[in-house]
Amino acid sequence: MAIDSRVRERLVRTVASAKSEVRAVLRARIVLAAADGIANGAIARELEVSVNTVRKWRGRFAALGPDGLRDAERSGRPKIYGPEVRVAIVATAASMPRHPEATWSHRAVAQHVAGACLVSVSASQVGRILAGLGLKPHKVRGWLTRRDTPDFWQRASAVCALYLDPPEGAVVLSIDEKTAIAARSRRHPGRPPRPGEPARQEFEYRRHGTASLVAALDVRTGEVLTEVIARNNAATFTAFLDQLDQAIAPGKAIHVVLDNGSSHTAKHTKACYAVPPPAW
């Protein structure tokens, strides 16, 4: 059996490639051996297949060329649902569910499609169709739409520059509050790690109410100054700033970075620092 040089090169690459399927390599080796004039029986013994297998792929190649070495199309089970059902499933999964549901489940999609198309479809079939398209209506990822503030990038650039290169001799503080922290203690002591075993920690705990605190991080040194607070309001915030002013050595310039929390932008805070201290 004679084969074209380009076809032979293609079959040789298939045999040599580590990514080729085993069945594709076997069929290519059968054709190459037949092209070298080797008898069917010898090819079957060399490749440890039946003579009928050799005959089959030699005949397929002789009739159809390289395309004959591919698997023949199979009819398979006939489709139960028409394209309109698949479109309805996708359209349902891509829409917002009715109140009060937050997300679509496969069962809910199947029920909705059954009512819209008058076709009974199983939840598992809905799952297979959606999986084939990469649709996952049961998953929700949140995002935050930032307000249109024209000077945002300039302000962010200034803060980053302050963090990366603080002024010499100045103190850069990042300040924020953390409210309603759960105060808990373990009911039983933990166990330290042992050879071949990780440390163990009892999951049961006791509740001791909540706590709130305000903290200032020194960006240069990593030192944190904290205080437990009873209320998160402007008076508490300005009192904390007064403590910072007293704790920091006189003569040092102080740069404060904070968010737009209500206590930071309140009238009381603005009134207290309408004329900031010399160091601030």
Side-chain angles (χ1 to χ4, degrees):
M1 181 174 62
I3 59 175
D4 184 79
S5 60
R6 289 179 297 179
V7 175
R8 175 182 285 274
E9 182 181 354
R10 176 179 171 185
L11 296 176
V12 170
R13 286 200 306 266
T14 300
V15 172
S17 176
K19 296 182 179 180
S20 299
E21 295 181 346
V22 174
R23 54 186 174 181
V25 172
L26 174 63
R27 297 165 191 175
R29 292 181 66 183
I30 290 174
V31 174
L32 289 173
D36 292 338
I38 303 176
N40 291 349
I43 297 174
R45 289 191 297 271
E46 175 66 23
L47 301 180
E48 298 181 350
V49 296
S50 67
V51 176
N52 288 337
T53 299
V54 176
R55 290 172 180 165
K56 172 183 177 180
W57 294 111
R58 285 191 62 171
R60 290 276 295 272
F61 182 84
L64 303 174
D67 292 339
L69 300 183
R70 300 175 181 174
D71 289 335
E73 295 291 337
R74 300 181 180 181
S75 60
R77 189 175 65 176
K79 292 184 178 180
I80 301 176
Y81 308 107
E84 68 281 355
V85 176
R86 299 175 65 89
V87 170
I89 290 174
V90 174
T92 301
S95 65
M96 296 300 296
R98 295 178 179 176
H99 184 78
E101 300 295 336
T103 58
W104 285 108
S105 65
H106 294 166
R107 186 179 300 278
V109 172
Q111 292 174 349
H112 184 272
V113 171
C117 301
L118 302 178
V119 176
S120 178
V121 57
S122 65
S124 59
Q125 180 67 14
V126 170
R128 284 190 290 269
I129 292 174
L130 296 180
L133 298 173
L135 285 174
K136 301 177 181 179
H138 59 283
K139 289 189 175 182
V140 176
R141 177 178 294 177
W143 84 94
L144 178 64
T145 301
R146 185 175 59 84
R147 290 183 298 175
D148 185 16
T149 50
D151 61 339
F152 171 80
W153 296 110
Q154 290 81 358
R155 295 167 62 186
S157 177
V159 171
C160 292
L162 184 63
Y163 280 171
L164 293 173
D165 188 20
E168 189 65 29
V171 178
V172 180
L173 301 176
S174 180
I175 303 177
D176 201 3
E177 295 89 356
K178 179 64 175 177
T179 59
I181 304 172
R184 302 180 298 188
S185 64
R186 299 289 172 182
R187 289 184 176 270
H188 307 284
R191 297 181 183 179
R194 299 178 182 178
E197 294 184 5
R200 296 180 179 273
Q201 183 172 274
E202 173 64 44
F203 69 90
E204 288 189 322
Y205 56 85
R206 292 186 177 90
R207 297 180 183 271
H208 301 283
T210 60
S212 300
L213 60 85
V214 59
L217 167 68
D218 189 325
V219 175
R220 184 188 295 272
T221 65
E223 182 181 2
V224 180
L225 178 64
T226 64
E227 180 183 358
V228 177
I229 57 178
R231 298 186 63 185
N232 181 24
N233 54 19
T236 302
F237 177 65
T238 54
F240 182 68
L241 293 182
D242 292 339
Q243 292 185 22
L244 293 177
D245 192 27
Q246 296 175 7
I248 296 174
K252 284 184 173 290
I254 303 174
H255 298 264
V256 176
V257 180
L258 41 81
D259 60 17
N260 293 326
S262 58
S263 61
H264 306 163
T265 59
K267 294 181 179 179
H268 174 81
T269 304
K270 292 180 179 180
C272 289
Y273 291 91
V275 179
W280 294 68

XYZ file of all heavy atoms in Angstrom, residues 180-271:
701
model
N -18.302 46.194 67.253
C -19.052 44.942 67.462
C -18.186 43.707 67.236
O -18.568 42.768 66.547
C -20.288 44.900 66.572
N -16.990 43.701 67.840
C -16.138 42.522 67.772
C -16.646 41.505 68.788
O -16.827 41.827 69.967
C -14.675 42.881 68.077
C -14.187 43.979 67.123
C -13.780 41.661 67.976
C -12.823 44.517 67.472
N -16.877 40.282 68.355
C -17.365 39.248 69.260
C -16.263 38.859 70.248
O -15.174 38.444 69.849
C -17.815 38.027 68.466
N -16.553 39.025 71.524
C -15.606 38.636 72.572
C -15.924 37.205 72.988
O -16.966 36.934 73.590
C -15.712 39.592 73.761
N -15.044 36.278 72.653
C -15.301 34.855 72.906
C -14.093 34.197 73.554
O -12.967 34.660 73.419
C -15.633 34.137 71.599
C -16.821 34.720 70.862
C -17.110 33.981 69.573
N -16.007 34.044 68.625
C -16.074 33.610 67.364
N -17.205 33.065 66.925
N -15.041 33.711 66.569
N -14.372 33.127 74.274
C -13.301 32.322 74.866
C -13.624 30.851 74.654
O -14.792 30.458 74.614
C -13.152 32.615 76.361
O -14.331 32.237 77.069
N -12.619 30.028 74.492
C -12.809 28.607 74.283
C -13.274 27.915 75.559
O -12.822 28.249 76.667
C -11.504 27.972 73.800
C -11.007 28.526 72.474
C -11.881 28.081 71.338
N -11.521 28.760 70.092
C -12.154 28.588 68.943
N -13.186 27.768 68.876
N -11.780 29.236 67.870
N -14.165 26.949 75.378
C -14.651 26.211 76.545
C -13.600 25.246 77.084
O -13.567 24.944 78.269
C -15.916 25.422 76.184
C -17.153 26.296 75.968
C -18.384 25.452 75.715
N -19.577 26.287 75.604
C -20.345 26.619 76.640
N -20.040 26.178 77.855
N -21.410 27.380 76.471
N -12.755 24.762 76.227
C -11.744 23.788 76.636
C -10.400 24.206 76.056
O -10.343 24.785 74.958
C -12.106 22.383 76.142
C -13.485 21.940 76.537
N -13.798 21.519 77.805
C -14.648 21.889 75.826
C -15.082 21.209 77.869
N -15.625 21.425 76.677
N -9.317 23.939 76.738
C -7.993 24.322 76.218
C -7.623 23.502 74.986
O -8.071 22.373 74.814
C -7.059 24.019 77.397
C -7.775 22.977 78.202
C -9.235 23.288 78.063
N -6.816 24.112 74.130
C -6.354 23.417 72.941
C -5.221 22.447 73.245
O -4.690 22.401 74.364
N -4.846 21.669 72.235
C -3.741 20.717 72.362
C -2.614 21.143 71.437
O -2.842 21.433 70.263
C -4.209 19.313 71.993
C -5.297 18.773 72.911
C -5.697 17.367 72.490
N -6.782 16.846 73.312
C -7.331 15.649 73.132
N -6.898 14.875 72.133
N -8.308 15.246 73.908
N -1.389 21.147 71.955
C -0.255 21.559 71.111
C 0.032 20.508 70.037
O -0.402 19.355 70.150
C 0.897 21.670 72.107
C 0.525 20.727 73.211
C -0.973 20.792 73.324
N 0.746 20.886 68.981
C 1.055 19.902 67.929
C 1.998 18.814 68.429
O 2.807 19.028 69.325
C 1.714 20.762 66.843
C 2.266 21.948 67.574
C 1.303 22.206 68.699
N 1.868 17.653 67.810
C 2.739 16.516 68.104
C 3.335 16.015 66.795
O 2.866 16.389 65.716
C 1.932 15.398 68.769
C 1.290 15.785 70.098
C 0.470 14.636 70.654
N -0.189 14.993 71.905
C -0.992 14.169 72.576
N -1.263 12.964 72.089
N -1.537 14.574 73.714
N 4.369 15.195 66.881
C 4.950 14.655 65.641
C 3.897 13.933 64.803
O 3.259 12.991 65.262
C 6.018 13.682 66.148
C 6.410 14.224 67.486
C 5.140 14.788 68.080
N 3.681 14.421 63.595
C 2.700 13.820 62.702
C 1.285 14.283 62.936
O 0.375 13.840 62.220
N 1.037 15.156 63.918
C -0.312 15.640 64.206
C -0.301 17.162 64.321
O 0.601 17.733 64.933
C -0.856 15.048 65.510
C -1.080 13.549 65.475
C -1.713 13.055 66.760
O -2.058 13.913 67.608
O -1.860 11.824 66.907
N -1.314 17.828 63.764
C -1.390 19.286 63.903
C -1.919 19.672 65.279
O -2.408 18.822 66.047
C -2.388 19.676 62.803
C -3.288 18.477 62.691
C -2.401 17.279 62.942
N -1.817 20.944 65.588
C -2.418 21.439 66.833
C -3.937 21.301 66.748
O -4.527 21.405 65.673
C -2.021 22.900 67.056
N -4.562 21.038 67.880
C -6.015 20.854 67.917
C -6.650 21.956 68.752
O -6.107 22.369 69.770
C -6.373 19.483 68.496
C -5.880 18.326 67.634
C -6.260 16.985 68.257
N -5.808 15.868 67.438
C -6.486 15.343 66.443
N -7.664 15.834 66.138
N -5.995 14.342 65.741
N -7.825 22.409 68.301
C -8.529 23.484 68.988
C -9.996 23.140 69.104
O -10.646 22.803 68.107
C -8.338 24.795 68.220
C -8.971 25.992 68.896
C -8.590 27.296 68.219
O -7.570 27.895 68.505
N -9.425 27.725 67.289
N -10.524 23.206 70.282
C -11.935 22.919 70.526
C -12.798 23.993 69.873
O -12.509 25.191 69.964
C -12.190 22.898 72.038
C -13.643 22.765 72.431
C -14.245 21.434 71.997
O -13.566 20.395 72.174
O -15.368 21.439 71.474
N -13.850 23.564 69.182
C -14.646 24.537 68.425
C -15.694 25.230 69.281
O -16.215 26.279 68.894
C -15.332 23.847 67.233
C -16.414 22.889 67.610
C -17.722 23.308 67.747
C -16.116 21.556 67.846
C -18.726 22.428 68.097
C -17.116 20.662 68.194
C -18.422 21.093 68.319
N -16.047 24.688 70.435
C -17.060 25.330 71.271
C -16.455 26.526 72.007
O -15.293 26.500 72.412
C -17.624 24.337 72.282
C -18.529 23.278 71.662
C -19.230 22.447 72.710
O -18.603 22.143 73.745
O -20.400 22.127 72.508
N -17.248 27.559 72.162
C -16.763 28.764 72.826
C -17.883 29.415 73.634
O -19.058 29.096 73.471
C -16.214 29.767 71.806
C -17.200 30.156 70.730
C -18.131 31.177 70.930
C -17.220 29.478 69.515
C -19.042 31.532 69.956
C -18.131 29.828 68.515
C -19.038 30.848 68.751
O -19.943 31.185 67.776
N -17.481 30.317 74.512
C -18.429 31.100 75.311
C -18.458 32.522 74.773
O -17.434 33.080 74.384
C -18.006 31.127 76.783
C -18.123 29.785 77.491
C -17.820 29.950 78.989
N -17.991 28.709 79.717
C -17.040 27.814 79.911
N -15.820 28.043 79.409
N -17.262 26.717 80.591
N -19.655 33.102 74.765
C -19.814 34.486 74.326
C -19.689 35.433 75.522
O -20.243 35.174 76.592
C -21.177 34.684 73.662
C -21.371 33.864 72.388
C -22.753 34.124 71.819
N -23.006 33.312 70.638
C -22.712 33.663 69.394
N -22.152 34.854 69.188
N -22.971 32.882 68.377
N -18.973 36.509 75.334
C -18.817 37.525 76.371
C -19.219 38.896 75.842
O -18.603 39.910 76.171
C -17.364 37.556 76.863
C -16.888 36.257 77.423
N -17.227 35.800 78.683
C -16.118 35.284 76.867
C -16.670 34.623 78.907
N -15.987 34.279 77.814
N -20.253 38.915 75.007
C -20.701 40.182 74.458
C -19.837 40.633 73.292
O -19.167 39.831 72.638
N -19.851 41.926 73.043
C -19.070 42.497 71.960
C -18.210 43.640 72.486
O -18.467 44.193 73.561
C -19.972 43.026 70.838
O -20.836 44.033 71.369
C -20.787 41.900 70.228
N -17.205 43.976 71.717
C -16.312 45.073 72.069
C -16.033 45.891 70.805
O -16.096 45.381 69.694
C -15.016 44.549 72.668
N -15.749 47.174 71.021
C -15.391 48.060 69.921
C -14.077 48.739 70.264
O -13.786 49.011 71.435
C -16.476 49.120 69.703
O -17.718 48.513 69.393
N -13.296 48.986 69.259
C -12.020 49.653 69.509
C -11.662 50.552 68.346
O -12.164 50.413 67.235
C -10.906 48.634 69.764
C -10.567 47.613 68.675
C -9.594 48.182 67.649
C -9.946 46.365 69.290
N -10.773 51.495 68.629
C -10.208 52.367 67.622
C -8.701 52.162 67.664
O -8.116 51.972 68.734
C -10.586 53.841 67.874
C -10.116 54.314 69.234
C -10.032 54.736 66.776
N -8.062 52.157 66.495
C -6.633 51.855 66.439
C -5.948 52.785 65.461
O -6.535 53.232 64.461
C -6.409 50.399 66.033
N -4.680 53.062 65.745
C -3.826 53.864 64.868
C -2.562 53.066 64.587
O -1.863 52.655 65.520
C -3.483 55.195 65.525
N -2.286 52.843 63.308
C -1.106 52.100 62.884
C -0.039 53.068 62.405
O -0.277 53.888 61.513
C -1.465 51.140 61.748
C -0.297 50.510 60.986
C 0.468 49.547 61.889
C -0.781 49.792 59.738
N 1.142 52.963 63.014
C 2.290 53.742 62.548
C 2.844 53.042 61.320
O 3.406 51.949 61.409
C 3.353 53.831 63.648
C 4.462 54.811 63.295
O 4.819 54.900 62.102
O 4.993 55.469 64.204
N 2.676 53.650 60.161
C 3.051 53.005 58.907
C 4.544 52.731 58.842
O 4.976 51.725 58.276
C 2.609 53.890 57.713
C 3.084 53.317 56.392
C 1.099 54.046 57.708
N 5.358 53.569 59.430
C 6.805 53.410 59.342
C 7.314 52.277 60.240
O 8.120 51.447 59.823
C 7.506 54.712 59.709
C 9.024 54.658 59.551
C 9.647 55.922 60.122
N 9.263 57.107 59.373
C 9.919 57.556 58.297
N 10.977 56.882 57.845
N 9.534 58.647 57.682
N 6.815 52.210 61.485
C 7.342 51.243 62.451
C 6.467 50.006 62.614
O 6.929 48.988 63.128
C 7.500 51.914 63.824
O 6.195 52.272 64.324
C 8.366 53.157 63.713
N 5.191 50.071 62.225
C 4.282 48.959 62.438
C 3.668 48.936 63.820
O 2.880 48.049 64.140
N 3.993 49.901 64.659
C 3.430 49.969 66.011
C 1.962 50.363 65.936
O 1.571 51.221 65.131
C 4.206 50.983 66.848
C 3.724 51.102 68.289
C 4.498 52.136 69.072
O 5.388 52.783 68.478
O 4.212 52.309 70.269
N 1.138 49.749 66.791
C -0.294 50.003 66.796
C -0.705 50.494 68.175
O -0.379 49.866 69.190
C -1.102 48.740 66.435
C -2.598 49.042 66.457
C -0.693 48.222 65.057
N -1.414 51.601 68.214
C -1.979 52.131 69.445
C -3.480 51.934 69.392
O -4.132 52.388 68.457
C -1.645 53.618 69.601
C -2.221 54.312 70.853
C -1.625 53.697 72.110
C -1.942 55.808 70.815
N -4.028 51.228 70.372
C -5.457 50.910 70.366
C -6.110 51.373 71.659
O -5.447 51.579 72.686
C -5.692 49.396 70.219
O -5.138 48.723 71.372
C -5.036 48.863 68.966
N -7.421 51.532 71.578
C -8.205 51.877 72.766
C -9.604 51.298 72.605
O -10.217 51.444 71.544
C -8.282 53.383 72.954
C -9.089 53.775 74.187
C -9.224 55.277 74.336
O -8.651 56.000 73.507
O -9.935 55.716 75.269
N -10.093 50.640 73.637
C -11.463 50.139 73.646
C -12.406 51.312 73.870
O -12.174 52.139 74.761
C -11.648 49.064 74.741
C -13.099 48.596 74.780
C -10.716 47.891 74.497
N -13.449 51.386 73.054
C -14.374 52.518 73.126
C -15.777 52.017 73.426
O -16.152 50.906 73.044
C -14.375 53.320 71.815
C -14.723 52.422 70.623
C -13.017 53.980 71.594
C -14.801 53.155 69.293
N -16.543 52.857 74.106
C -17.925 52.501 74.429
C -18.872 52.909 73.311
O -19.861 52.226 73.040
C -18.343 53.165 75.742
N -18.554 54.024 72.646
C -19.394 54.515 71.555
C -18.490 54.953 70.402
O -17.394 55.485 70.627
C -20.264 55.690 72.015
C -21.247 55.342 73.124
C -22.158 56.517 73.415
N -22.979 56.856 72.261
C -23.801 57.901 72.209
N -23.895 58.716 73.252
N -24.520 58.132 71.130
N -18.987 54.768 69.213
C -18.236 55.182 68.035
C -18.842 56.472 67.493
O -19.669 56.474 66.587
C -18.270 54.077 66.964
C -17.489 54.464 65.725
O -16.583 55.291 65.780
N -17.837 53.871 64.596
N -18.446 57.586 68.100
C -18.981 58.873 67.673
C -17.842 59.877 67.552
O -16.678 59.571 67.789
C -20.053 59.368 68.650
C -19.547 59.413 70.082
O -18.337 59.428 70.330
N -20.466 59.423 71.032
N -18.201 61.098 67.171
C -17.186 62.115 66.923
C -16.425 62.486 68.185
O -15.210 62.716 68.143
C -17.843 63.350 66.307
N -17.118 62.560 69.323
C -16.444 62.923 70.581
C -15.384 61.883 70.936
O -14.274 62.233 71.357
C -17.471 63.062 71.701
N -15.714 60.606 70.773
C -14.747 59.548 71.062
C -13.563 59.631 70.106
O -12.408 59.452 70.509
C -15.428 58.183 70.934
O -16.531 58.118 71.834
C -14.454 57.060 71.249
N -13.831 59.916 68.849
C -12.762 59.971 67.854
C -11.804 61.131 68.133
O -10.582 60.970 68.107
C -13.372 60.093 66.464
C -12.365 60.219 65.371
C -11.494 59.182 65.078
C -12.272 61.388 64.630
C -10.553 59.308 64.062
C -11.342 61.511 63.619
C -10.475 60.481 63.336
N -12.347 62.309 68.413
C -11.478 63.459 68.675
C -10.688 63.263 69.967
O -9.541 63.708 70.072
C -12.306 64.747 68.754
O -13.368 64.587 69.718
C -12.905 65.072 67.400
N -11.289 62.592 70.965
C -10.547 62.299 72.202
C -9.376 61.368 71.908
O -8.283 61.506 72.492
C -11.486 61.682 73.231
N -9.565 60.417 71.000
C -8.476 59.518 70.626
C -7.371 60.284 69.905
O -6.176 60.031 70.127
C -9.017 58.399 69.738
C -7.997 57.394 69.327
C -7.430 56.532 70.248
C -7.577 57.315 68.002
C -6.467 55.599 69.868
C -6.632 56.392 67.613
C -6.070 55.527 68.542
N -7.748 61.223 69.050
C -6.736 62.039 68.370
C -5.949 62.871 69.365
O -4.730 63.059 69.211
C -7.403 62.949 67.341
C -8.061 62.266 66.134
C -8.644 63.314 65.188
C -7.075 61.377 65.398
N -6.633 63.364 70.411
C -5.923 64.129 71.448
C -4.905 63.243 72.158
O -3.791 63.695 72.481
C -6.921 64.699 72.455
C -7.800 65.784 71.843
O -7.382 66.353 70.803
O -8.890 66.049 72.384
N -5.256 61.979 72.408
C -4.312 61.056 73.044
C -3.096 60.813 72.147
O -1.962 60.741 72.624
C -4.995 59.733 73.362
C -6.052 59.811 74.443
C -6.615 58.443 74.794
O -5.959 57.428 74.554
N -7.802 58.415 75.341
N -3.332 60.680 70.864
C -2.216 60.496 69.933
C -1.296 61.715 69.949
O -0.065 61.578 69.931
C -2.754 60.257 68.515
C -3.512 58.956 68.257
C -4.029 58.937 66.814
C -2.616 57.747 68.500
N -1.896 62.892 69.973
C -1.105 64.112 69.976
C -0.217 64.182 71.209
O 0.929 64.650 71.147
C -2.041 65.313 69.907
C -1.303 66.599 69.603
O -0.233 66.530 68.959
O -1.782 67.676 70.003
N -0.729 63.705 72.349
C 0.051 63.722 73.585
C 1.114 62.622 73.602
O 2.183 62.787 74.207
C -0.883 63.571 74.783
C -1.871 64.722 74.949
C -2.861 64.468 76.070
O -2.747 63.489 76.817
N -3.855 65.358 76.196
N 0.816 61.473 72.933
C 1.756 60.354 72.972
C 2.937 60.544 72.029
O 4.011 59.979 72.247
C 1.032 59.054 72.623
N 2.767 61.325 70.981
C 3.830 61.513 69.985
C 4.729 62.662 70.435
O 4.265 63.692 70.952
C 3.217 61.800 68.602
C 2.409 60.574 68.143
C 4.294 62.130 67.575
C 1.634 60.796 66.863
N 6.011 62.475 70.228
C 6.991 63.468 70.667
C 6.719 64.814 70.028
O 6.366 64.891 68.838
C 8.397 62.993 70.307
N 6.863 65.889 70.794
C 6.628 67.230 70.239
C 7.603 67.527 69.091
O 8.727 67.046 69.064
C 6.879 68.153 71.437
C 6.733 67.274 72.646
C 7.198 65.919 72.229
N 7.132 68.311 68.166
C 7.982 68.705 67.054
C 7.889 67.816 65.845
O 8.391 68.168 64.769
N 7.277 66.630 65.979
C 7.138 65.726 64.843
C 5.877 66.067 64.047
O 4.809 66.271 64.630
C 7.068 64.264 65.297
C 8.404 63.677 65.716
C 8.255 62.219 66.060
C 9.606 61.573 66.305
N 10.376 61.441 65.054
N 5.994 66.113 62.748
C 4.815 66.310 61.897
C 4.004 65.015 61.864
O 4.574 63.920 61.830
C 5.238 66.710 60.489
N 2.686 65.137 61.882
C 1.796 63.971 61.932
C 0.903 63.987 60.685
O 0.215 64.972 60.412
C 0.935 63.973 63.208
C 1.822 64.009 64.454
C 0.028 62.737 63.233
C 1.047 64.152 65.744
N 0.909 62.878 59.939
C 0.029 62.709 58.784
C -0.967 61.599 59.124
O -0.561 60.505 59.536
C 0.827 62.333 57.540
C 1.818 63.374 57.126
N 1.536 64.318 56.159
C 3.078 63.631 57.569
C 2.585 65.106 56.003
N 3.548 64.710 56.845
N -2.243 61.876 58.967
C -3.293 60.927 59.320
C -4.033 60.506 58.045
O -4.455 61.356 57.255
C -4.287 61.529 60.333
C -5.418 60.551 60.615
C -3.566 61.899 61.616
N -4.180 59.193 57.873
C -4.936 58.634 56.756
C -6.149 57.911 57.329
O -5.989 57.011 58.172
C -4.077 57.663 55.924
C -4.899 57.094 54.769
C -2.831 58.365 55.396
N -7.344 58.294 56.898
C -8.558 57.648 57.403
C -9.645 57.721 56.341
O -9.511 58.408 55.337
C -9.025 58.285 58.717
C -8.951 59.809 58.863
C -10.131 60.461 58.189
C -8.896 60.198 60.322
N -10.730 56.959 56.562
C -11.814 56.918 55.588
C -12.839 58.001 55.885
O -12.625 58.850 56.758
C -12.456 55.526 55.565
C -13.026 55.131 56.919
O -13.211 56.030 57.780
O -13.297 53.938 57.139
N -13.963 57.943 55.175
C -15.003 58.959 55.337
C -16.078 58.516 56.313
O -17.268 58.742 56.083
C -15.636 59.282 53.978
C -14.666 59.960 53.034
O -13.809 60.723 53.472
N -14.788 59.677 51.752
N -15.688 57.854 57.390
C -16.646 57.441 58.403
C -17.372 58.626 59.013
O -16.879 59.769 58.998
N -18.550 58.353 59.545
C -19.383 59.450 60.064
C -18.692 60.209 61.189
O -18.810 61.434 61.288
C -20.721 58.886 60.553
O -20.511 57.910 61.562
N -17.950 59.498 62.039
C -17.262 60.184 63.136
C -16.085 61.011 62.636
O -15.664 61.958 63.305
C -16.781 59.164 64.171
O -15.866 58.252 63.588
N -15.542 60.681 61.467
C -14.397 61.406 60.922
C -14.829 62.685 60.215
O -14.045 63.637 60.128
C -13.631 60.519 59.931
C -13.224 59.206 60.501
N -12.843 58.125 59.733
C -13.153 58.770 61.789
C -12.547 57.092 60.506
N -12.743 57.461 61.752
N -16.046 62.689 59.704
C -16.520 63.847 58.933
C -17.605 64.625 59.660
O -18.241 65.499 59.059
C -17.065 63.382 57.566
O -18.134 62.445 57.786
C -15.976 62.703 56.752
N -17.859 64.309 60.926
C -18.922 64.967 61.678
C -18.592 66.443 61.910
O -17.429 66.869 61.861
C -19.150 64.252 63.009
N -19.630 67.235 62.203
C -19.430 68.665 62.465
C -18.529 68.874 63.673
O -17.711 69.804 63.696
C -20.788 69.341 62.678
C -21.681 69.368 61.444
C -22.992 70.074 61.739
C -23.881 70.114 60.492
N -25.182 70.788 60.767
N -18.684 68.020 64.686
C -17.863 68.158 65.890
C -16.391 67.986 65.558
O -15.540 68.756 66.019
C -18.297 67.116 66.932
C -17.425 67.085 68.145
N -17.555 67.980 69.178
C -16.386 66.247 68.491
C -16.651 67.719 70.110
N -15.932 66.671 69.710
N -16.079 66.988 64.733
C -14.678 66.737 64.366
C -14.123 67.896 63.549
O -12.999 68.363 63.773
C -14.572 65.431 63.562
O -15.135 64.361 64.324
C -13.131 65.114 63.232
N -14.915 68.377 62.597
C -14.453 69.487 61.769
C -14.271 70.753 62.595
O -13.343 71.533 62.353
C -15.445 69.730 60.641
C -15.504 68.603 59.605
C -16.516 68.914 58.514
C -16.546 67.796 57.476
N -17.539 68.068 56.391
N -15.154 70.943 63.584
C -15.037 72.132 64.426
C -13.785 72.059 65.292
O -13.088 73.062 65.480
C -16.287 72.275 65.296
